[in-house]
Amino acid sequence: MTMVRGKQIISTKQLFAILFLGLMNHGYVSISRWITEVAHQDAWISTFLGGFIAFVLLNIILLLMKRFPDKTFIQISDEVLGKYLGKIPGIIFLIFLLFFTALSLYLLVSLVSAWLLPKTPIDVIIISILLLQIYLTREGIKVLGRFQEMIMVIVLLGMPITFLPYFIYQNHTLLMPIGGTGVVTILKGALPAFYTFFTFFSLLILYPYVRKDASHKEIVKASNMSILVVTILKTFYVFGSIAVFGEKEIQFFLYPLLEYVKLLVFPVIERVEFMMIFLWLFMMFSGTVTTFYMANLTAEQVINVEGYKNTGLIIAIPIYFLTRLSQNIAESLSLFRLEGAVLSIVLLATIAFVFGLSFILQKGGENA
Amino acid sequence: MRVLKLVIILSLFLIVLSGCWDSVELEEQFLVWGMGWDIDEENPNLMTLTLSAPSTTEGAPEPYIAVSSSGYSVEEGRKNIQKQLQYTIEMGHLRVLVISEDFAKQGILKFMDSLGRNPRIGRETKLVVTAGKAKDLWDLEHPSNLLPADYLVELLKVNAKQGITADITFRDFFEAISNEGQEPVTSFIRMSKDAKMFNAAGLAVFKEDKMIGKLMDIEVQAFQFIIGKCKNGTITVGESTKPGSNSITFCHRRGGSKVKTEIINGEPHIYLKVELEGDISEYTADKPTVDEEVIEKAETAVTLRVKKEVEKVIEKAQKEFESDIFGFGLYFKAYHNNYWKSHDWAKEFPEANVHVDVRVKIRRIGIES
């Protein structure tokens, strides 16, 4: 059985960056709308709960991956289920990643198209971004890790600006009554919130690449730190946007985050949100690159050609067509919910099945 | 071969990333600063849209251009204006939207849609209702400012800082109209008789999206005391022009309000506390010595005046407008949610019991005593 390639190692710092950007990317621009639609003024509690669910699942995944420290989920399923049956979980994971990347890409493209390049054909924007993703992922995870580390610094430096509108315009009566929507509604809201934390699944692929250079404990620390920071940031942002706009007004916005920063008025800088868009573009792009790379690696490991440099070119084709599935942002939001509901259940079931079987067959861990 | 590949890839990027689809030269743009809405004079079913922009052509005879056209919606009006222009209309710099009083009375929300939908339009754009026609505003010849839109925006900003008016933006309007328990207001202006100046001392009061009345002068100040946004301004008590009378002017520099709500015997009670701090900026007595006694008397006089004005405005909103422009309903929704769910606040507000408590503190008396 092949193990991860020796040259491809990332540090725990890079793991933190990849997880942080991936977790932040998915839905950050629209999260307050998606969740207030369900949980109204209590959406921030749902967001926190969504992060907590992701935190619990992430730690379960970490425990399971500890049993196979040098293998990705695809390689684990090969070992547990055998040469042919073992491909099925890999294929399911690949389908999930293709949809996930396509949807994240569409959200990124629609933002660019609506705010920055309204006259540029959408295909040109998609293809440009895909070309850049192919280029960035050609050299493997090491280059990707360094890229994400650099982007994380830029994003973290710009992040405090997004808190300013809350401190200037907050009206806490808009958050009241806290818990007034009821436990059931808050829990219902936690589900779409959880979908926005979905990229914690990256650990199923990334774990062995970090494990070469770090202990399990260090990986647990970096992963938990990333999900904790993102949960706090997302919860505070949803809390802040409800306190500024109120849950009703948020329903009018497709990109509440940009409406939120649009409130800032600085001397000389007329359009603050355009500066902020570049920050989100970095973040969203970084998030899509991670899932794009994972789709590459999954495909390579499923057909046992790991290290082939042109996988990106091939993977980009289905991603392009899947991205074109959404004709507009409203459709993509429906797809987001569908994808979240169906794929999360299928994926969680697949992961549970593979690891469950590994326990029954006593594979991995001390028996490996 | 490797270099050739690189050149081809980079050339491809040049084509797709140059942004050539979206580039528009500044001189080719009609940079809209001001927009006006009127009911069409010939066909009342149509709206007349006016767009005002500074001239971007070098050597243009006028510093700005104002073009009007009619349509069934803002976008249709914009398209009809475009027919008259050699420039591309660019809305990203819109600074003020002026709506005529007649138009505002018919309801404005559906017409605001295109402005909220356009990502280039800022939420800090001012929203104003004008007496008379919005179309006429752009003909104003102010002696010190060549651009009417610029003059209007600066006028609102400066007067809002002094508590004389409130510069209401798209953000304020959308927030008030979308929140249950609050009704919107906008700035209200009127042109001077010689058509050279605006008077910005008013607020247009709305119920849902229809204008139903206005608050003028001291009422605007009282409104701002109630919502806790009047940090600066002056209040004069007494009439010094009358023989034997004198007046005192209180200049407030800090202020705020607190609202508490209760349900007593099924009835809504609102406890409003207004606090102001400031200076004496004028005392027109024969012997203008300001001692402790005068300060105490002045505090009492200003307190009574502010209380009276605040109560008058609340009564006007309750009885005349039946519109909760202060957002008291937000507190009932937040803190008495069961009451909120079982009652229609629009019907309850006119009958709500409002208890006003005003505290005024004089901190400075100028450099004469």
Side-chain angles (χ1 to χ4, degrees):
Chain A
M1 185 56 57
T2 47
M3 287 186 284
V4 296
R5 289 180 297 151
K7 276 189 205 170
Q8 300 294 354
I9 298 170
I10 53 168
S11 66
T12 44
K13 264 188 196 169
Q14 288 167 342
L15 174 73
F16 177 85
I18 294 174
L19 285 175
F20 172 79
L21 291 168
L23 289 164
M24 284 296 281
N25 157 48
H26 206 55
Y28 192 64
V29 179
S30 303
I31 185 175
S32 54
R33 175 189 165 140
W34 295 347
I35 305 168
T36 48
E37 254 175 20
V38 184
H40 309 285
Q41 81 271 15
D42 291 325
W44 62 277
I45 306 175
S46 301
T47 309
F48 184 79
L49 282 178
F52 181 73
I53 298 168
F55 169 80
V56 172
L57 288 174
L58 174 120
N59 279 286
I60 293 172
I61 284 176
L62 280 168
L63 274 176
L64 297 172
M65 292 303 286
K66 193 185 171 189
R67 291 168 55 82
F68 302 89
D70 56 352
K71 291 185 179 64
T72 64
F73 175 69
I74 317 303
Q75 292 163 336
I76 296 167
S77 70
D78 263 6
E79 189 179 320
V80 175
L81 292 168
K83 204 176 172 185
Y84 299 105
L85 276 178
K87 301 293 176 201
I88 297 169
I91 293 167
I92 292 172
F93 199 59
L94 179 63
I95 293 169
F96 165 76
L97 285 168
L98 291 177
F99 268 100
F100 203 87
T101 311
L103 188 61
S104 305
L105 188 60
Y106 184 79
L107 292 173
L108 167 64
V109 168
S110 64
L111 183 77
V112 174
S113 183
W115 291 73
L116 298 174
L117 304 170
K119 289 174 190 162
T120 304
I122 204 157
D123 292 311
V124 173
I125 305 173
I126 296 173
I127 292 167
S128 308
I129 295 173
L130 278 172
L131 283 174
L132 208 54
Q133 287 181 336
I134 293 165
Y135 177 70
L136 258 170
T137 50
R138 262 174 77 86
E139 297 302 322
I141 198 163
K142 213 168 182 175
V143 175
L144 183 74
R146 286 177 186 162
F147 172 76
Q148 305 279 41
E149 210 176 351
M150 188 184 73
I151 298 296
M152 185 184 68
V153 175
I154 300 171
V155 170
L156 283 176
L157 283 175
M159 196 59 77
I161 297 174
T162 58
F163 302 145
L164 285 178
Y166 166 75
F167 293 107
I168 301 169
Y169 299 110
Q170 98 282 53
N171 175 359
H172 287 135
T173 51
L174 298 173
L175 291 155
M176 302 286 178
I178 292 173
T181 53
V183 177
V184 178
T185 310
I186 292 172
L187 288 175
K188 273 185 189 166
L191 213 57
F194 167 65
Y195 301 157
T196 70
F197 289 92
F198 232 64
T199 31
F200 70 85
F201 280 113
S202 332
L203 270 174
L204 289 169
I205 297 289
L206 299 177
Y207 186 88
Y209 295 93
V210 205
R211 190 71 172 86
K212 286 219 157 217
D213 196 36
S215 66
H216 176 75
K217 210 174 166 183
E218 285 172 317
I219 300 174
V220 170
K221 204 174 154 188
S223 314
N224 281 337
M225 191 57 85
S226 67
I227 207 152
L228 189 76
V229 171
V230 175
T231 303
I232 292 169
L233 285 174
K234 281 188 176 176
T235 305
F236 183 71
Y237 159 61
V238 174
F239 179 88
S241 56
I242 299 170
V244 169
F245 295 119
E247 49 113 355
K248 297 275 179 200
E249 196 181 1
I250 291 174
Q251 304 304 313
F252 292 107
F253 306 141
L254 276 178
Y255 308 103
L257 179 70
L258 296 173
E259 298 291 345
Y260 189 62
V261 290
K262 252 170 110 174
L263 297 175
L264 294 172
V265 181
F266 290 114
V268 185
I269 309 167
E270 194 181 352
R271 308 296 299 271
V272 182
E273 80 273 16
F274 281 100
M275 292 182 70
M276 297 308 293
I277 283 176
F278 289 108
L279 194 74
W280 309 132
L281 290 185
F282 275 129
M283 199 172 77
M284 293 172 88
F285 176 75
S286 308
T288 56
V289 170
T290 304
T291 49
F292 183 83
Y293 174 73
M294 289 201 303
N296 278 358
L297 200 66
T298 306
E300 284 171 12
Q301 291 187 347
V302 166
I303 53 173
N304 284 329
V305 290
E306 196 182 343
Y308 180 59
K309 286 199 169 183
N310 292 324
T311 323
L313 275 171
I314 301 159
I315 289 291
I317 298 166
I319 291 178
Y320 169 79
F321 285 107
L322 287 173
T323 310
R324 296 302 276 131
L325 267 183
S326 307
Q327 294 300 313
N328 53 55
I329 189 77
E331 261 185 41
S332 77
L333 294 180
S334 310
L335 272 174
F336 166 81
R337 285 193 200 96
L338 189 73
E339 176 209 67
V342 176
L343 289 177
S344 62
I345 293 166
V346 173
L347 194 66
L348 284 172
T350 310
I351 295 165
F353 177 71
V354 171
F355 284 111
L357 209 61
S358 81
F359 275 105
I360 294 165
L361 300 174
Q362 295 193 325
K363 291 196 173 182
E366 285 162 13
N367 306 307
Chain B
M1 192 60 192
R2 194 179 158 82
V3 177
L4 189 69
K5 265 188 188 174
L6 202 68
V7 170
I8 293 169
I9 290 170
L10 287 175
S11 312
L12 275 171
F13 274 101
L14 273 180
I15 298 166
V16 295
L17 296 180
S18 63
C20 54
W21 278 283
D22 296 280
S23 66
V24 186
E25 297 300 324
L26 184 68
E27 305 82 60
E28 294 166 7
Q29 294 185 55
F30 187 76
L31 302 170
V32 178
W33 278 24
M35 179 188 277
W37 294 354
D38 289 294
I39 297 172
D40 191 71
E41 283 167 359
E42 289 167 15
N43 180 356
N45 291 323
L46 289 173
M47 72 182 294
T48 298
L49 182 79
T50 308
L51 299 180
S52 164
S55 299
T56 48
T57 312
E58 207 177 328
E62 296 292 336
Y64 67 92
I65 315 158
V67 190
S68 297
S69 194
S70 298
Y72 287 102
S73 70
V74 174
E75 280 304 297
E76 198 183 31
R78 191 189 63 81
K79 185 187 81 184
N80 292 334
I81 288 176
Q82 182 66 71
K83 288 177 190 169
Q84 306 169 50
L85 294 169
Q86 76 273 37
Y87 314 104
T88 306
I89 295 173
E90 169 53 52
M91 303 292 269
H93 299 267
L94 182 67
R95 301 184 70 194
V96 60
L97 166 64
V98 185
I99 304 168
S100 74
E101 196 174 337
D102 292 340
F103 193 98
K105 282 176 179 168
Q106 292 187 352
I108 60 171
L109 189 60
K110 59 184 176 184
F111 299 98
M112 300 282 291
D113 182 83
S114 78
L115 306 179
R117 207 172 279 279
N118 187 339
R120 305 179 83 80
I121 295 177
R123 292 180 68 80
E124 291 304 304
T125 306
K126 311 277 181 233
L127 183 53
V128 181
V129 170
T130 179
K133 296 226 168 282
K135 207 171 99 174
D136 299 337
L137 250 66
W138 317 110
D139 298 329
L140 178 126
E141 291 172 7
H142 190 268
S144 70
N145 196 325
L146 297 171
L147 303 167
D150 188 51
Y151 162 56
L152 179 54
V153 169
E154 295 307 317
L155 178 87
L156 291 169
K157 270 191 201 170
V158 169
N159 282 284
K161 271 184 191 164
Q162 296 178 33
I164 296 166
T165 188
D167 57 341
I168 305 295
T169 60
F170 282 6
R171 179 180 70 79
D172 300 312
F173 183 82
F174 283 128
E175 189 184 312
I177 206 153
S178 56
N179 287 336
E180 291 167 304
Q182 189 179 11
E183 300 290 350
V185 294
T186 71
S187 308
F188 181 82
I189 58 162
R190 155 173 301 154
M191 200 188 270
S192 66
K193 280 181 187 164
D194 60 359
K196 285 189 176 174
M197 300 228 182
F198 300 130
N199 183 336
L203 280 179
V205 175
F206 283 71
K207 187 158 188 175
E208 292 176 355
D209 70 331
K210 291 185 178 68
M211 182 182 163
I212 48 164
K214 37 186 188 278
L215 298 175
M216 297 303 290
D217 305 312
I218 187 82
E219 292 172 340
V220 178
Q221 216 171 346
F223 168 78
Q224 297 195 84
F225 289 146
I226 297 166
I227 62 165
K229 282 195 176 167
C230 198
K231 306 275 187 255
N232 293 293
T234 58
I235 298 162
T236 302
V237 184
E239 296 164 334
S240 59
T241 47
K242 283 186 181 168
S245 298
N246 58 49
S247 70
I248 194 157
T249 301
F250 172 70
C251 175
H252 51 96
R253 300 195 186 278
R254 287 180 68 186
S257 71
K258 282 180 190 157
V259 176
K260 282 191 179 166
T261 48
E262 265 184 38
I263 306 292
I264 300 170
N265 298 328
E267 285 185 0
H269 284 256
I270 299 156
Y271 299 90
L272 172 72
K273 189 174 178 184
V274 177
E275 288 179 310
L276 296 171
E277 273 185 32
D279 318 336
I280 290 176
S281 61
E282 186 185 46
Y283 181 42
T284 61
D286 295 336
K287 193 184 161 202
T289 309
V290 179
D291 53 20
E292 275 179 46
E293 196 189 335
V294 173
I295 291 175
E296 207 172 296
K297 275 186 185 170
E299 282 179 348
T300 310
V302 175
T303 302
L304 289 173
R305 175 80 199 274
V306 172
K307 192 168 188 283
K308 191 177 122 196
E309 296 302 337
V310 164
E311 283 172 342
K312 262 167 69 180
V313 167
I314 291 173
E315 198 185 331
K316 198 168 180 179
Q318 284 186 302
K319 307 297 176 201
E320 190 181 328
F321 304 141
E322 297 184 356
S323 170
D324 183 6
I325 49 177
F326 317 109
F328 291 145
L330 293 174
Y331 293 87
F332 285 96
K333 191 186 175 204
Y335 301 108
H336 308 282
N337 203 244
N338 289 336
Y339 169 85
W340 174 263
K341 283 177 186 164
S342 58
H343 291 78
D344 179 0
W345 180 244
K347 285 180 186 156
E348 298 298 320
F349 171 69
E351 303 306 324
N353 304 288
V354 186
H355 312 272
V356 180
D357 177 19
V358 178
R359 306 269 166 95
V360 173
K361 280 273 162 230
I362 291 171
R363 298 290 184 205
R364 283 167 293 268
I365 55 168
I367 54 171
E368 283 182 6
S369 72

